[in-house]
Amino acid sequence: MKTLILGGTREAREIADIASGERGFDIVSSLAGRVRDPLLPVGAVRVGGFGGVDGLREWLSANEIDTVVDATHPFADLISAHAAAAATDLGLPLVHLRRPGWTAQHGDRWLRVPDLAAAAKTVGELGERVFLTIGRQGVGAFAGLTEPWFLIRAIDPPEGALPPRHELLLARGPFTVEDESRLLADRRIDVLVTKDSGGDQTDAKLAAARAAGLPVVMIDRPALPAGAVVMENVAQVWDWLRSAAQ
Ligand code: NAP
């Protein structure tokens, strides 16, 4: 059975890792090609956009794909929508892997907002020194904020306009709570902005913010396409793949 894994996440690499050791599974992982030095999954990998729904549909047909796993990041909503449309057109089974979002704990001071624009509107009211941990994409939504100072952390430098008062910190997680607490104190951070990515690779900043009593602007996830089949962990997707192969 030939499977396309739309990747760019740890879970996508884990599925490729499991399936590549199993007879009867032919896996191709796909990366958008955004990160300069990506962590590569085992097995076959293709890199770069497909060219919208039409391009993806053509690629799926030309490569005789039987099943599709959308294991992209919860905020990569465009490729998820394209995958849903192309799979529906071709009648291919598709599952979306979405790790659960984060849940506020006792002591958290979270303000949930629907999107980046709402986060940019809110953040200036919460403090003057902002830790922006939304990755490389979307920083432009904060570019018009001239008053607050931003610590912008990303794996690769963001492109496009940035807020005028900022420091850019290039780093790849996971980070420890101790590291995050030190960073918050060193940079005298007042407020943290994050996407609700979920998972345990980047949640230390939330524990550090909780310990420091800092507010967190939590950007909600975009919705998946209507009717999407959603699974929340690698084990569930692997079971699904095995039954699809029978
Ligand atoms: P997006 O907005 O949903 O997609 C934009 C375009 O990028 C898509 O239309 C598609 O181009 C291409 N694309 C995205 N993922 C692809 C993949 N796995 N393989 C081939 N093409 C892909 O995605 P994004 O938010 O830019 O994220 C890009 C990648 O980075 C994703 O694979 C995601 O898993 C990873 N990532 C994203 C975030 C985040 O916060 N958004 C965080 C960590 C990792 P075409 O239309 O030309 O096919």
Side-chain angles (χ1 to χ4, degrees):
M1 186 178 76
K2 198 163 178 190
T3 303
L4 171 67
I5 302 176
L6 295 165
T9 59
R10 180 174 54 137
E11 289 87 342
R13 291 191 294 278
E14 284 177 9
I15 299 167
D17 202 24
I18 296 169
S20 66
E22 297 286 331
R23 274 176 51 163
F25 288 89
D26 186 359
I27 300 287
V28 185
S29 296
S30 176
L31 300 178
R34 297 271 195 285
V35 180
R36 248 183 247 159
D37 181 20
L39 299 172
L40 288 174
V42 296
V45 180
R46 65 160 302 286
V47 180
F50 296 93
V53 179
D54 293 347
L56 178 56
R57 198 173 39 230
E58 277 162 32
W59 190 95
L60 292 168
S61 299
N63 288 275
E64 299 178 332
I65 296 294
D66 302 301
T67 46
V68 183
V69 175
D70 167 27
T72 55
H73 189 271
F75 281 80
D77 55 339
L78 205 53
I79 189 70
S80 297
H82 291 179
T88 302
D89 289 351
L90 297 172
L92 294 182
L94 161 72
V95 69
H96 301 269
L97 171 55
R98 283 292 176 278
R99 64 178 90 120
W102 288 315
T103 313
Q105 297 181 20
H106 181 70
D108 278 329
R109 293 174 57 203
W110 290 5
L111 181 70
R112 284 201 173 268
V113 293
D115 52 30
L116 286 162
K121 243 185 205 166
T122 309
V123 74
E125 293 158 20
L126 295 171
E128 287 171 11
R129 298 180 65 84
V130 182
F131 185 15
L132 201 54
T133 62
I134 57 168
R136 193 170 60 89
Q137 300 185 67
V139 177
F142 298 83
L145 299 184
T146 53
E147 294 288 314
W149 176 89
F150 287 88
L151 173 63
I152 302 170
R153 184 168 68 191
I155 297 175
D156 288 324
E159 285 158 13
L162 299 179
R165 302 180 62 227
H166 74 266
E167 172 189 342
L168 185 58
L169 179 60
L170 298 182
R172 192 198 303 257
F175 307 100
T176 67
V177 179
E178 291 70 28
D179 289 342
E180 299 289 49
S181 293
R182 201 174 309 122
L183 192 62
L184 294 180
D186 278 357
R187 304 304 201 280
R188 294 178 287 115
I189 296 298
D190 299 318
V191 53
L192 185 142
V193 181
T194 180
K195 294 173 175 170
D196 184 6
S197 300
D200 59 6
Q201 295 291 292
T202 56
D203 63 350
K205 61 192 172 193
L206 302 175
R210 185 183 313 126
L214 296 184
V216 173
V217 178
M218 182 67 68
I219 304 169
D220 281 337
R221 297 165 168 210
L224 278 166
V229 177
V230 188
M231 296 183 179
E232 62 178 42
N233 61 46
V234 168
Q236 288 169 0
V237 173
W238 178 230
D239 282 349
W240 179 82
L241 276 175
R242 275 194 311 198
S243 28
Q246 280 163 9

